[in-house]
Amino acid sequence: MLILLILKLNNAISQLAAEAYLACTTWSGPDLARAETLRSRNVDIAVLGLAAALPWSTSATSILGIVILFLFWPTIRSERLFAVVSQPAAALPIALLALAAIGTAWATAVPWLERLGALDKTMKLLLLPVLLLHFQQSRSAIWTFVAFVGSNLILLGYSFLTCVVPSLAVVEKVGYAGVPVRNYIDQSQGFAFVAIALAGLAFEAASRQRRYFAAGFGAAAGLFFANLAFVNVARTAFFYIPVMLVLVMVRYLSRRELIAGLIGVAIICGGLWQISPNLHRKASTIFTELAVQRDAPIGVNEPSAAMRLEFWRKSLRFFEIAPLIGHGTGAIRDLFQQDAIGQTGVSAVVVSNPHNQTLAAGIQWGSAGIIILWAMWIAHLRLFCISTPVAWIGMLATVQNIASSIFNSHLMDTYESWLYVLAVGTAGGEVLRIQSGTDVRKTASSLGATQLQ
């Protein structure tokens, strides 16, 4: 039995080696079609790996992002590339990245290390048009979503476990109960996205009379919501979760059901706030922090709400100084550092992130950066304005990024930007594939009708 298993493993390894050799060396001849299929499959595998790794490790995610670019390069066809890049959904992320690269030129007072570090935060946007182009041809978009959800389900179980036994966490920090890896902001972002996506799929399954699927999706969504309510949650989620829930209800409920649903959600949220120490603590500290004076000494716990207000106040002033093209890529920390001289308390805090994506773009690249940023978000919202579940999932990711970027720079923060690029790129590519298929069918129907006439 062992010998048979070894032989099968040896055959599998030999086959994989032969396929890898074929994919790397065949560019013409009778095996070209098979080689191109293998190259596309390799990209699919790398994207699946990225989706599975994202909830756990940004280092692994970044490495896989580079691998995807290398694997994708040989599959590019110029006509397909120009067709996709000519669309705003793909062109605008490249435009924002190009602006960030050019913006390093006029950040003259900033060390090059700071400029390149800020530029590096935008580099993930390069992968977005790549995913749009790849998934316009690939049919594995659904498996990417499955890989991400499955990975988050494992993390969910680990989160509940470490809430009971904190010593089992990879990262054990004060205030990070139930957050075994990374941080509670990233974990909340991923859990909220998965929870609401699964809730939407539960509605979708129920509308098609697939009760077992509806029950399964609903139960899984409930577990994620329970973790957010009773284990740990980022306070930004208090804003973007209601926005995303309303989006779900608008899609699947009638007007009368929508009103009843909103009332029901409000009652449930009020009840959870009363019985959940986690929610009660997170919500009540907001008002305490907002009462902190700007020049008051900062205690053990940073008053993040008051700090955000101060960051925004200063950021608006920085923007007013250079409203057209900004201060250049990477200039944020230097501006805050100069302004903090002679200040105390919250006013003396120096950051490289104003905790608002629009202000982050405005400080560095002025009105040009703000226009391109919002044009990109709007282009992605328009891309997902079709009635399919995959488009709705892409819409959720876009809305979550826009909403959470009011309180954070989530298009540049590591986990949140990877989530945005992965979800929008994968879902957007699938939408483009569906639309191209629809256009082909419409053209064929019109040609058939013309021939009959």
Side-chain angles (χ1 to χ4, degrees):
M1 188 70 177
L2 180 61
I3 295 175
L4 183 61
L5 182 63
I6 292 173
L7 288 173
K8 287 184 177 180
L9 182 61
N10 183 59
N11 289 336
I13 293 173
S14 299
Q15 184 177 356
L16 287 173
E19 290 178 348
Y21 179 79
L22 182 66
C24 294
T25 60
T26 303
W27 305 99
S28 61
D31 291 330
L32 177 60
R34 184 162 175 258
E36 289 181 338
T37 301
L38 291 173
R39 285 192 281 268
S40 179
R41 188 195 66 179
N42 291 339
V43 177
D44 285 337
I45 293 171
V47 175
L48 287 173
L50 189 151
L54 179 55
W56 301 86
S57 169
T58 51
S59 298
T61 303
S62 299
I63 292 170
L64 285 166
I66 296 171
V67 169
I68 289 169
L69 290 175
F70 276 106
L71 291 175
F72 176 77
W73 183 256
T75 70
I76 294 177
R77 295 293 177 270
S78 57
E79 63 278 4
R80 284 175 51 205
L81 179 62
F82 291 133
V84 171
V85 172
S86 63
Q87 300 186 41
L92 288 165
I94 296 175
L96 189 60
L97 174 59
L99 180 62
I102 297 170
T104 59
W106 62 81
T108 52
V110 182
W112 271 103
L113 191 62
E114 288 279 344
R115 301 188 219 183
L116 296 177
L119 176 62
D120 182 62
K121 294 180 180 179
T122 67
M123 291 301 293
K124 292 179 284 296
L125 294 175
L126 183 62
L127 200 64
L128 211 161
V130 167
L131 293 176
L132 287 172
L133 181 56
H134 175 71
F135 284 102
Q136 192 175 9
Q137 303 296 320
S138 173
R139 293 179 176 269
S140 64
I142 182 63
W143 293 110
T144 303
F145 179 70
V146 169
F148 183 70
V149 172
S151 185
N152 273 280
L153 279 169
I154 296 171
L155 181 59
L156 177 70
Y158 191 15
S159 174
F160 280 122
L161 180 63
T162 55
C163 185
V164 179
V165 187
S167 60
L168 295 177
V170 174
V171 178
E172 190 176 355
K173 298 179 182 178
V174 176
Y176 277 57
V179 185
V181 296
R182 305 183 58 77
N183 60 72
Y184 64 88
I185 297 175
D186 296 349
Q187 182 171 292
S188 297
Q189 192 90 358
F191 281 6
F193 173 70
V194 172
I196 297 174
L198 290 175
L201 292 176
F203 277 110
E204 190 79 29
S207 68
R208 300 183 182 185
Q209 303 299 316
R210 305 180 75 175
R211 297 178 181 175
Y212 293 110
F213 280 98
F217 288 139
L223 288 173
F224 281 105
F225 281 125
N227 185 279
L228 291 167
F230 294 102
V231 177
N232 214 323
V233 66
R235 291 182 301 186
T236 309
F238 295 162
F239 180 74
Y240 64 71
I241 285 179
V243 173
M244 296 166 76
L245 284 174
V246 169
L247 189 64
V248 173
M249 291 189 284
V250 168
R251 175 178 170 83
Y252 289 104
L253 301 180
S254 64
R255 184 175 297 179
R256 182 176 298 177
E257 291 170 338
L258 175 61
I259 295 172
L262 291 173
I263 295 172
V265 168
I267 293 171
I268 291 171
C269 289
L272 288 173
W273 188 80
Q274 291 293 330
I275 64 175
S276 169
N278 173 46
L279 292 181
H280 195 277
R281 182 180 67 257
K282 291 290 179 97
S284 60
T285 54
I286 295 175
F287 303 101
T288 305
E289 292 175 4
L290 288 174
V292 174
Q293 298 297 316
R294 289 189 302 180
D295 56 351
I298 298 175
V300 177
N301 297 318
E302 293 183 343
S304 60
M307 290 168 68
R308 274 178 170 78
L309 292 179
E310 183 66 3
F311 297 160
W312 297 346
R313 185 185 68 80
K314 290 187 176 184
S315 297
L316 287 170
R317 192 169 73 249
F318 299 152
F319 173 73
E320 289 172 357
I321 296 171
L324 295 180
I325 59 173
H327 298 270
T329 304
I332 296 175
R333 175 175 286 278
D334 183 68
L335 290 168
F336 273 94
Q337 196 162 28
Q338 292 180 27
D339 193 81
I341 296 174
Q343 302 289 338
T344 59
V346 170
S347 296
V349 176
V350 176
V351 293
S352 57
N353 174 7
H355 290 75
N356 178 284
Q357 187 59 64
T358 302
L359 290 174
I363 292 172
Q364 297 179 96
W365 313 305
S367 300
I370 294 174
I371 290 169
I372 295 176
L373 170 68
W374 277 93
M376 182 189 72
W377 275 334
I378 292 169
H380 291 156
L381 289 174
R382 288 174 60 85
L383 175 64
F384 298 122
C385 287
I386 66 171
S387 184
T388 62
V390 68
W392 178 79
I393 290 172
M395 177 75 75
L396 267 184
T398 307
V399 168
Q400 183 186 34
N401 191 264
I402 294 171
S404 65
S405 289
I406 295 174
F407 302 99
N408 297 282
S409 301
H410 271 174
L411 195 64
M412 304 305 169
D413 289 342
T414 305
Y415 176 87
E416 290 77 12
S417 57
W418 271 120
L419 176 58
Y420 182 76
V421 167
L422 178 66
V424 172
T426 304
E430 179 71 5
V431 166
L432 292 175
R433 189 181 67 80
I434 293 170
Q435 289 177 333
S436 63
T438 303
D439 292 341
V440 169
R441 287 193 294 272
K442 285 181 179 178
T443 303
S445 299
S446 62
L447 286 174
T450 303
Q451 289 174 356
L452 288 174
Q453 290 175 358

